[in-house]
Amino acid sequence: MIRFAIIGTNWITERFLQAAQETEQFVLTAVYSRTEEKGKNFAAKYNNPKVFTDLEEMASSDQFDAVYIASPNSFHAEQAILCMKHGKHVLCEKPMASNATEMQEMINVAKDNDVLLMEALKSTLMPNFKIMKDNLYKIGQVRRYFAGYCQYSSRYDAYKQGNILNAFNPIYSNGSLMDLGIYCIYPMVALFGKPDAVHAVGVMLSSGVDGEGSMVMKYKDMDAVVMHSKITDSYLPAEIQGENGTMVIDKISQPYDVKIHYRDGTIEDISQPQLHESMYYEIQEFIRLLANGERDGSINSLATSLAVAQVMEDARRQIGLQYPADLT
């Protein structure tokens, strides 16, 4: 059994704990909340783990072995580093850091303290991502990766009425690229490595974050195209185009349906049924690594997370998107 703490009592944490119930090696023993009342109300739903309102006190306690961090993006690095310096393993929501400098510091602290640090990017650990990777050879020489995640934010209407919620506030290192674009970029880097060049454009909102954007990335023998948006919707599937066929993925952010369309007109459905909640697989991978005494994964690896952070920072520089975290 791995004793877990959580930082952040929001909807994503609720989903995480729902998925965690499907594994027998997870037990929630600590919760951090800024207010005791909110923390206790949350804990009451999960067998009343110990509630902390002081992060330093929690990190130094013996109540847990690992922590799942789901606070706003700008807090990830500071909170993860504090926990790791106290010997705690960290599963951190994406994006794991505000920028590449923070990411590198987190990696250094993880290594210095011999703890596991992993980015909680669920899609690359879902069954059909492995299917994608294992069957990539069938489409021949890959020439293009295309992926988009465009979803009109439920908070955008409030933004247009002058109420700037966290999702559109640069203080929290938010915006379209960080919140949604990463779902397209992370699988790309996991499959093909870091691109040689990045070209980015985007639409900046008056609050100081990006509402949407597009990227074209250059590899030696292929290119990659990524679209992301929090102010429009898209219904296009993702594609990996090869010389012998094209792999079509229903949603790059959550792949359930994967087919190969061959040049002779035949279609092969290579999808694998998914038996668990989508977030189950990241939890299970994290626990597996811990059980084996490993300090890095082969898919959501520290090298991949750093490369993704560098790609996104490059794109942000080109569209003029800067966060307070970049200035510290």
Side-chain angles (χ1 to χ4, degrees):
M1 294 289 287
I2 306 296
R3 300 177 305 156
F4 272 83
I6 59 166
I7 297 175
T9 51
N10 48 43
W11 66 271
I12 193 71
T13 313
E14 298 270 12
R15 286 191 182 178
F16 176 84
L17 292 173
Q18 202 173 33
Q21 291 172 5
E22 298 184 27
T23 175
E24 297 178 353
Q25 299 140 295
F26 179 103
V27 58
L28 181 64
T29 57
V31 171
Y32 169 78
S33 178
R34 286 172 295 174
T35 67
E36 189 169 354
E37 181 183 5
K38 186 176 180 182
K40 286 186 174 179
N41 289 340
F42 187 90
K45 295 182 284 186
Y46 301 100
N47 296 319
N48 291 303
K50 185 172 177 58
V51 174
F52 292 88
T53 55
D54 184 289
L55 204 57
E56 178 75 45
E57 181 187 354
M58 182 174 112
S60 61
S61 77
D62 61 357
Q63 294 290 314
F64 65 101
D65 311 300
V67 59
Y68 169 67
I69 298 177
S71 53
N73 301 339
S74 57
F75 297 134
H76 288 177
E78 180 183 358
Q79 292 172 343
I81 287 170
L82 175 63
C83 290
M84 289 189 292
K85 284 184 174 179
H86 283 90
K88 305 300 196 284
H89 307 287
V90 173
L91 177 61
C92 187
E93 261 305 324
K94 58 80 204 161
M96 196 153 68
S98 296
N99 51 51
T101 300
E102 283 189 354
M103 183 73 76
Q104 186 62 66
E105 185 180 359
M106 293 168 77
I107 292 170
N108 293 344
V109 171
K111 292 179 178 178
D112 289 345
N113 291 273
D114 189 32
V115 293
L116 173 62
L117 171 65
M118 192 180 93
E119 192 160 12
L121 195 288
K122 65 181 181 182
S123 55
T124 45
L125 295 168
M126 290 170 63
N128 280 306
F129 183 80
K130 186 175 188 306
I131 292 294
M132 289 163 54
K133 189 173 184 179
D134 290 349
N135 286 271
L136 208 53
Y137 72 94
K138 293 180 179 179
I139 66 172
Q141 174 69 57
V142 175
R143 294 303 188 186
R144 176 172 292 117
Y145 169 92
F146 167 78
Y149 193 177
C150 304
Q151 182 174 294
Y152 189 96
S153 171
S154 60
R155 297 167 179 82
Y156 188 50
D157 287 337
Y159 173 87
K160 290 191 288 185
Q161 293 170 3
N163 184 14
I164 301 173
L165 301 174
N166 288 7
F168 292 99
N169 190 335
I171 289 174
Y172 300 108
S173 303
N174 283 328
S176 178
L177 175 64
M178 296 286 273
D179 292 345
L180 300 184
I182 189 172
Y183 280 106
C184 305
I185 298 167
Y186 206 104
M188 177 193 78
V189 174
L191 289 172
F192 306 110
K194 185 181 176 183
D196 298 325
V198 175
H199 303 282
V201 294
V203 172
M204 295 294 295
L205 303 178
S206 59
S207 67
V209 302
D210 57 327
E212 63 93 53
S214 301
M215 301 166 65
V216 177
M217 283 148 287
K218 180 74 177 73
Y219 287 86
K220 181 182 178 183
D221 297 311
M222 59 172 280
D223 65 32
V225 180
V226 162
M227 303 188 310
H228 56 88
S229 176
K230 298 187 78 170
I231 57 177
T232 60
D233 289 314
S234 175
Y235 305 93
L236 295 174
E239 290 188 346
I240 304 176
Q241 301 170 8
E243 292 187 355
N244 297 336
T246 296
M247 188 176 289
V248 181
I249 306 106
D250 59 342
K251 291 181 179 179
I252 198 65
S253 61
Q254 202 161 237
Y256 291 118
D257 185 86
V258 185
K259 294 183 175 70
I260 297 178
H261 294 244
Y262 294 100
R263 289 184 57 245
D264 64 4
T266 59
I267 300 174
E268 181 184 6
D269 187 343
I270 60 173
S271 310
Q272 179 176 315
Q274 185 170 302
L275 305 177
H276 298 279
E277 289 277 345
S278 296
M279 296 181 78
Y280 163 87
Y281 301 97
E282 67 188 50
I283 302 168
Q284 197 59 43
E285 171 68 0
F286 187 78
I287 291 174
R288 184 192 69 78
L289 291 169
L290 280 181
N292 291 340
E294 298 179 52
R295 296 295 181 257
D296 199 3
S298 60
I299 303 171
N300 287 19
S301 67
L302 296 176
T304 297
S305 291
L306 180 59
V308 170
Q310 291 168 339
V311 168
M312 294 200 299
E313 190 168 342
D314 192 355
R316 287 200 295 111
R317 177 185 55 78
Q318 293 180 45
I319 66 174
L321 174 55
Q322 190 174 62
Y323 298 127
D326 299 326
L327 306 176
T328 58

